[in-house]
Amino acid sequence: MRFLYMVKGKEGQGMPPAAMIEAVEQAAEEATKNGTMVIRGGLYPAAESIHARVDGGKVNVTDGPFAEAKEVIGGFAIFELKSREEAIESAREFMELHRRHWPGWVGELEVRQLFDGAPDFAKLAQK
């Protein structure tokens, strides 16, 4: 089962402390070696993003800079895990790194399972 992890936090909290970066790098190295981490990456600030929107039957694309958002996705990873329970435990461990190594940081981790193959949208719509 694949899961997408999205780290969300307040924009403008600055760069993580060196201890946080080191802890995340160590965790990523372990996850890569044991085969659970598929890919990961950090994101540039939201002010440098591109927005594409459909509204009124038209596609509008706006290139930043944008005003700071209150909360943005700062990074992501895709993990290959055995179960939802394993994803929950992994998320807890990752957020514990933030609590220990970046005092004062405010944010959350959203974890969403990825579809394996083509989803059956009709069944999903019935839920």
Side-chain angles (χ1 to χ4, degrees):
M1 304 168 82
R2 285 195 172 181
F3 293 88
L4 172 63
Y5 287 48
M6 295 172 282
V7 180
K8 299 177 183 180
K10 288 184 179 180
E11 183 83 273
Q13 294 187 84
M15 288 297 292
M20 177 65 190
I21 293 171
E22 186 177 316
V24 168
E25 290 302 316
Q26 183 178 359
E29 185 177 320
E30 249 178 62
T32 300
K33 281 182 183 175
N34 71 26
T36 58
M37 183 178 289
V38 176
I39 188 171
R40 73 180 176 118
L43 302 175
Y44 280 86
E48 297 181 37
S49 63
I50 298 164
H51 294 185
R53 178 179 175 86
V54 174
D55 190 6
K58 295 182 180 181
V59 175
N60 296 307
V61 178
T62 309
D63 192 3
F66 300 99
E68 281 190 10
K70 289 182 180 180
E71 191 173 83
V72 296
I73 298 173
F76 73 95
I78 295 177
F79 284 86
E80 181 74 45
L81 303 170
K82 294 176 185 150
S83 66
R84 180 178 177 84
E85 291 73 24
E86 189 176 357
I88 291 168
E89 183 56 31
S90 170
R92 188 181 322 277
E93 290 170 5
F94 185 70
M95 292 308 284
E96 181 62 26
L97 292 178
H98 286 76
R99 188 192 67 74
R100 276 198 326 260
H101 299 291
W102 197 350
W105 181 78
V106 176
E108 67 181 41
L109 178 65
E110 181 177 344
V111 178
R112 297 179 64 183
Q113 187 174 350
L114 300 174
F115 288 112
D116 294 326
D120 186 341
F121 289 110
K123 286 182 183 175
L124 287 173
Q126 293 173 0
K127 289 187 177 182

